[in-house]
């Protein structure tokens, strides 16, 4: 299971404050904590700064790369921003995310090819979020066809079916689970990914919902997730899920996590 750590996101108030005040020590600590907690990639987002997004994202990239060699997932949908910051990224990155929206696909695709970036593709068309399983799979099919035709290999493509909060759409989790199953069954080599925090937005005891959805999604074939790896209960669910779904050979991942005191 590929873990993209989501804590360095300026939509979190304390992260935005650290970026705006250029608090390098704080960002260093966030990067180190997530690496120590098992992250494979660090997701970086500075989109709330609007026209100054590139300036702030560039600073965050510099700060993070001072303390970790983990590859970065650049969370920006603006090709101009990505074009400005990609030259300073040290390791092969991931870009989060491309959609079918007009004007975004071409710009991000060309950058992904130039920088050999892995690519997250979200199931959203022009002004049309995909809410049903059929709609999600339909948009996923178009995304996969366009992106692979441009030269991105299936193994470098991560489809996000976009689960919405159960507080506003009680069928979203079920639709997303069905879409994951169908995408993983129909498109060999392509990955699926979800940002877990959205499913529980607006509801109490959010971590419980996130953990339950993660376990269900892994059973349907989900093989990567954007999560907070420092959430010990969520991480434990992920490790148990790998074991139960047959992805943990000889139970080694689970046993190692136990010996490190990571299971709750």
């Amino acid at each position: 299971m590929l873990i993209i750590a989501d804590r360095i996101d300026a939509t979190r108030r304390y992260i935005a404050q650290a970026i705006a005040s250029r608090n390098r020590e704080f960002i260093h600590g966030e990067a180190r904590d997530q690496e120590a907690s098992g992250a494979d990639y660090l997701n970086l987002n500075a989109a709330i700064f609007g026209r100054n997004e590139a300036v702030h994202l560039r600073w965050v990239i510099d700060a993070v790369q001072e303390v970790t060699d983990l590859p970065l997932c650049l969370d920006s949908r603006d090709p101009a921003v990505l074009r400005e910051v990609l030259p300073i990224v040290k390791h092969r990155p991931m870009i989060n995310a491309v959609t079918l929206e007009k004007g975004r696909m071409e710009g991000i695709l060309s950058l992904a090819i130039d920088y050999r970036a892995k690519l997250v593709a979200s199931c959203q068309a022009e002004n049309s979020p995909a809410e049903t399983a059929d709609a999600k799979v339909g948009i996923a099919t178009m995304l996969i066809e366009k992106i692979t035709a441009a030269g991105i290999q299936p193994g470098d493509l991560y489809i996000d079916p976009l689960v919405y909060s159960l507080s506003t759409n009680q069928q979203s989790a079920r639709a997303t689970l069905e879409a994951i199953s169908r995408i993983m069954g129909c498109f060999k080599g392509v990955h699926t990914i979800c940002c877990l925090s959205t499913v529980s937005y607006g509801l109490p005891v959010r971590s419980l919902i996130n953990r339950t959805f993660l376990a269900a999604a892994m059973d349907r074939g989900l093989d990567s997730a954007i999560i907070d790896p420092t959430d010990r209960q969520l991480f434990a669910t992920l490790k148990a899920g790998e074991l139960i779904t047959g992805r943990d050979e000889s139970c080694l991942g689970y046993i190692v996590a136990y010996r490190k005191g990571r299971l709750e």
Side-chain angles (χ1 to χ4, degrees):
M1 189 78 170
L2 191 74
I3 299 175
I4 296 94
D6 71 353
R7 290 179 61 87
I8 306 178
D9 184 332
T11 60
R12 299 173 185 258
R13 181 177 53 83
Y14 60 90
I15 295 294
Q17 291 174 345
I19 294 172
S21 64
R22 296 298 189 256
N23 188 339
R24 239 173 172 82
E25 184 178 350
F26 187 87
I27 297 299
H28 287 171
E30 287 289 331
R32 289 190 181 107
D33 287 349
Q34 291 179 105
E35 180 175 23
S37 297
D40 299 302
Y41 281 78
L42 297 180
N43 192 71
L44 308 182
N45 182 304
I48 68 160
F49 292 105
R51 288 181 296 177
N52 294 318
E53 178 185 359
V55 173
H56 291 290
L57 184 57
R58 187 182 183 94
W59 180 85
V60 174
I61 292 169
D62 278 335
V64 167
Q65 290 185 150
E66 287 174 349
V67 296
T68 180
D69 285 324
L70 283 181
L72 305 180
C73 179
L74 304 181
D75 189 356
S76 176
R77 297 188 175 188
D78 188 336
V81 170
L82 293 167
R83 189 175 301 111
E84 186 167 337
V85 302
L86 276 166
I88 68 168
V89 175
K90 294 180 180 179
H91 304 289
R92 186 185 182 195
M94 179 180 286
I95 295 174
N96 179 22
V98 67
T99 70
L100 289 175
E101 294 172 275
K102 188 176 180 180
R104 184 168 291 160
M105 170 74 75
E106 293 77 10
I108 292 181
L109 265 183
S110 64
L111 290 168
I113 291 168
D114 289 346
Y115 288 90
R116 298 179 54 250
K118 298 186 178 186
L119 190 60
V120 176
S122 297
C123 290
Q124 180 175 339
E126 190 75 29
N127 300 318
S128 177
E131 296 191 355
T132 67
D134 285 344
K136 293 176 189 295
V137 174
I139 293 178
T141 300
M142 289 187 281
L143 285 165
I144 293 166
E145 289 175 350
K146 287 179 178 290
I147 292 169
T148 56
I152 302 292
Q153 296 300 307
D156 290 332
L157 179 55
Y158 295 75
I159 299 295
D160 184 353
L162 290 181
V163 64
Y164 300 107
S165 173
L166 293 171
S167 65
T168 58
N169 182 344
Q170 292 181 22
Q171 299 304 313
S172 184
R174 289 177 61 86
T176 302
L177 293 173
E178 182 180 341
I180 290 168
S181 181
R182 289 165 61 180
I183 292 166
M184 296 299 279
C186 293
F187 300 100
K188 185 177 181 180
V190 170
H191 305 279
T192 48
I193 188 169
C194 278
C195 180
L196 286 189
S197 62
T198 56
V199 71
S200 61
Y201 186 79
L203 292 168
V205 198
R206 294 183 63 187
S207 60
L208 173 60
I209 299 170
N210 295 344
R211 296 195 304 272
T212 304
F213 178 74
L214 175 62
M218 290 179 70
D219 182 58
R220 297 297 187 100
L222 186 78
D223 60 4
S224 50
I226 301 172
I227 66 171
D228 176 2
T230 68
D231 181 333
R232 294 173 62 87
Q233 291 182 319
L234 182 62
F235 183 84
T237 298
L238 186 148
K239 286 300 174 184
E242 288 179 328
L243 180 62
I244 291 167
T245 56
R247 306 182 201 183
D248 185 359
E249 186 175 355
S250 301
C251 309
L252 288 178
Y254 187 82
I255 292 168
V256 168
Y258 169 74
R259 289 175 176 171
K260 290 182 177 179
R262 298 294 316 282
L263 302 183
E264 287 191 6

